[in-house]
Amino acid sequence: MRPFRAEAHGYVAELEPSERIVLAQLAGDVAQMLQEGVPGRGPGGAGPGAGEPDDAWSPPGWTGPVPGRPGDGGGAATPPPDPAVRRLLPDASDDAEVAAEFRRFTQDDLAARKVGRLVLLARSLVDHEPAGAAPYVVGRDEAEDVAGALTDVRLVLAERLGLRTDEQVEGLYDELDREGDDGPDDGEVGGAPRRFLVSVFLLTGLLQESLVDGMLADLRAGRGRP
């Protein structure tokens, strides 16, 4: 993998086919978590788009509402029970009443926007299915959505890995470097599965950071989105 760099036609990284597949599947998994983890939006629920056909591309196993369809803002909104999904849709205030009201009017729309950009990321990664390492090009008009989708994937991985501080994140490099050590077993994700999630977490971090750096460099140079 080579991180993103700014070029005339957009931001370009280089990914192996296996890296593309893993990242695309994770983006699809996180989108699926959002559609099923937000009360009222899952399959068979009363949320917007339930039961309606989706003729757009969607990740394998997609069963929820049409990506990008806004919510109606009606009724009470329940915080997602999955802590990983709740990390994507956090409370907007420490005041429970304010947080509940804000969630009522924004949760469905925010979840739908996140699903839409996760689908965009997954689709762009598997387009053309290159047989070897190949450039992965993100246009300037899509860079913000791709960066946001990478951030959401990282947030879910961070929750599954129990990461809460910058020090814990920095320690992941040492964890991977320890030969013959599969990393600490936290009771949920340990051994080889943890090493895999750590590797993907660091990969998505490098991609997200390099993409944002390229966007900021363009902004300073006056080369924003067209």
Side-chain angles (χ1 to χ4, degrees), residues 96-153:
E97 208 170 302
V98 172
E101 189 69 4
F102 190 84
R103 190 177 290 279
R104 173 191 172 195
F105 286 102
T106 64
Q107 180 164 270
D108 280 352
D109 287 348
L110 180 57
R113 287 198 299 273
K114 286 178 178 289
V115 165
R117 67 192 191 187
L118 285 159
V119 169
L120 168 68
L121 172 62
R123 178 174 55 192
S124 66
L125 283 163
V126 297
D127 273 352
H128 311 305
E129 299 184 1
Y136 170 46
V137 182
V138 174
R140 285 181 169 81
D141 59 336
E142 297 179 337
E144 188 175 337
D145 286 336
V146 170
L150 287 169
T151 298
D152 287 342
V153 171

Side-chain angles (χ1 to χ4, degrees), residues 138-182:
V138 174
R140 285 181 169 81
D141 59 336
E142 297 179 337
E144 188 175 337
D145 286 336
V146 170
L150 287 169
T151 298
D152 287 342
V153 171
R154 290 195 84 223
L155 285 172
V156 169
L157 291 173
E159 181 63 34
R160 298 301 189 228
L161 290 167
L163 303 175
R164 294 289 184 273
T165 67
D166 291 340
E167 290 74 15
Q168 288 175 317
V169 173
E170 291 170 3
L172 294 178
Y173 292 96
D174 292 335
E175 183 177 319
L176 286 183
D177 285 342
R178 291 197 293 267
E179 294 185 6
D181 185 356
D182 283 335

Side-chain angles (χ1 to χ4, degrees), residues 22-115:
V22 167
L23 292 177
Q25 186 61 60
L26 277 172
D29 288 346
V30 175
Q32 189 92 13
M33 288 171 57
L34 274 166
Q35 69 166 357
E36 295 177 351
V38 177
R41 290 189 58 84
E52 299 180 22
D54 178 9
D55 56 4
W57 183 93
S58 57
W62 187 269
T63 55
V66 178
R69 183 178 296 276
D72 59 8
T78 306
D82 187 333
V85 178
R86 190 158 183 170
R87 199 155 173 173
L88 298 178
L89 305 168
D91 288 332
S93 171
D94 292 332
D95 185 304
E97 208 170 302
V98 172
E101 189 69 4
F102 190 84
R103 190 177 290 279
R104 173 191 172 195
F105 286 102
T106 64
Q107 180 164 270
D108 280 352
D109 287 348
L110 180 57
R113 287 198 299 273
K114 286 178 178 289
V115 165

